[in-house]
Amino acid sequence: MRYETEQALYIKSLAMDVIEELMKDHSNYDPKDLKQVTEMFARCMCDLVNVYTNISEHHEMTLRGTVIKAKIGYNALKKKSTMIKK
């Protein structure tokens, strides 16, 4: 599998995990956390469009940064849900 495809699928997996987390019944999230998640995934979308349209010259580096942004967004939600369970 191509690196770009593998990374894009990983980002999709993180996005699906965010959706799953948001659909849980204990959806008592801080607006600040939701804002961070929205920003990170909006930035991911911009990065993926740049890779897809060849605007980005360094696909591998762009995708690495995109994965990091997706992880930051996902972790912002997981941090909050872990705190709720305690």
Side-chain angles (χ1 to χ4, degrees):
M1 182 180 301
R2 285 184 21 191
Y3 178 79
E4 288 90 355
T5 303
E6 185 178 305
Q7 293 303 295
L9 289 173
Y10 182 58
I11 293 163
K12 178 184 175 184
S13 173
L14 288 169
M16 296 302 292
D17 290 344
V18 166
I19 292 169
E20 183 179 320
E21 189 65 33
L22 289 171
M23 294 294 114
K24 290 182 179 176
D25 287 337
H26 68 271
S27 59
N28 186 17
Y29 295 105
D30 188 305
K32 183 179 134 195
D33 293 331
L34 293 174
K35 182 177 178 181
Q36 182 180 18
V37 172
T38 303
E39 177 191 355
M40 288 298 113
F41 278 92
R43 290 178 184 273
C44 287
M45 289 298 300
C46 291
D47 289 349
L48 291 174
V49 168
N50 288 342
V51 168
Y52 181 75
T53 59
N54 288 319
I55 292 173
S56 169
E57 294 180 15
H58 305 286
H59 289 208
E60 187 173 327
M61 185 183 283
T62 300
L63 288 169
R64 282 183 184 168
T66 306
V67 167
I68 291 168
K69 290 170 194 162
K71 285 181 180 179
I72 290 169
Y74 176 70
N75 288 338
L77 283 185
K78 286 304 286 183
K79 169 191 74 166
K80 188 65 176 178
S81 72
T82 302
M83 291 171 61
I84 291 170
K85 290 178 185 176
K86 290 183 179 180

